[in-house]
Amino acid sequence: QVQLVESGGDLVQAGGSLRLSCAASGNIFSINTMGWYRQAPGKQRDLVATITRSGTENYVESVKGRFTISRDDAKNTMYLQMNSLKPEDTAVYYCNADVTTISRLNYKYWGPGTQVTVSS
């Protein structure tokens, strides 16, 4: 089994910054593409950013230039640096990982989420 746990969510004023972390643990052989998603109240869960094992980054247009995704494979951890936060960034942020397990099986896992609230 594999577990993902997000941390770093908080209440912050508009214009402020937060750094989210997602730590993966368990029967991990390798982690392939990882991503951050967010879900605002009453809305669907949407992609924010992804990063491949080789480090290729992809962002949704609304966060380009403000958010930076990164990963540390030695720690099985992914990060999301969020700058110039806006009230519309308020959401529960979830991490997702495409994991190859020790048994060489591939599964996608989700973390439980961390709340980010941006006040105006």
Side-chain angles (χ1 to χ4, degrees):
Q1 188 61 283
V2 173
Q3 297 81 35
L4 301 181
V5 178
E6 303 95 338
S7 61
D10 205 345
L11 169 64
V12 63
Q13 288 189 330
S17 298
L18 284 175
R19 188 192 195 207
L20 305 184
S21 299
C22 171
S25 62
N27 298 327
I28 299 169
F29 175 73
S30 66
I31 303 177
N32 309 306
T33 298
M34 303 181 78
W36 287 99
Y37 292 72
R38 65 187 179 186
Q39 187 168 18
K43 296 188 176 181
Q44 66 181 19
R45 188 175 300 186
D46 291 325
L47 174 68
V48 176
T50 61
I51 185 167
T52 67
R53 185 166 177 78
S54 62
T56 299
E57 302 166 31
N58 181 58
Y59 299 91
V60 66
E61 193 64 34
S62 61
V63 307
K64 284 182 179 178
R66 299 189 299 123
F67 291 10
T68 302
I69 190 171
S70 61
R71 60 191 287 171
D72 183 340
D73 288 334
K75 297 179 179 180
N76 285 338
T77 301
M78 173 179 64
Y79 305 96
L80 185 68
Q81 178 66 43
M82 305 187 294
N83 299 327
S84 302
L85 282 161
K86 304 175 181 180
E88 51 264 43
D89 295 318
T90 295
V92 178
Y93 283 70
Y94 298 91
C95 71
N96 175 271
D98 181 5
V99 177
T100 300
T101 67
I102 292 175
S103 303
R104 302 302 192 270
L105 299 174
N106 277 86
Y107 298 100
K108 292 185 186 297
Y109 294 93
W110 289 94
T114 186
Q115 177 70 48
V116 172
T117 303
V118 185
S119 63
S120 58

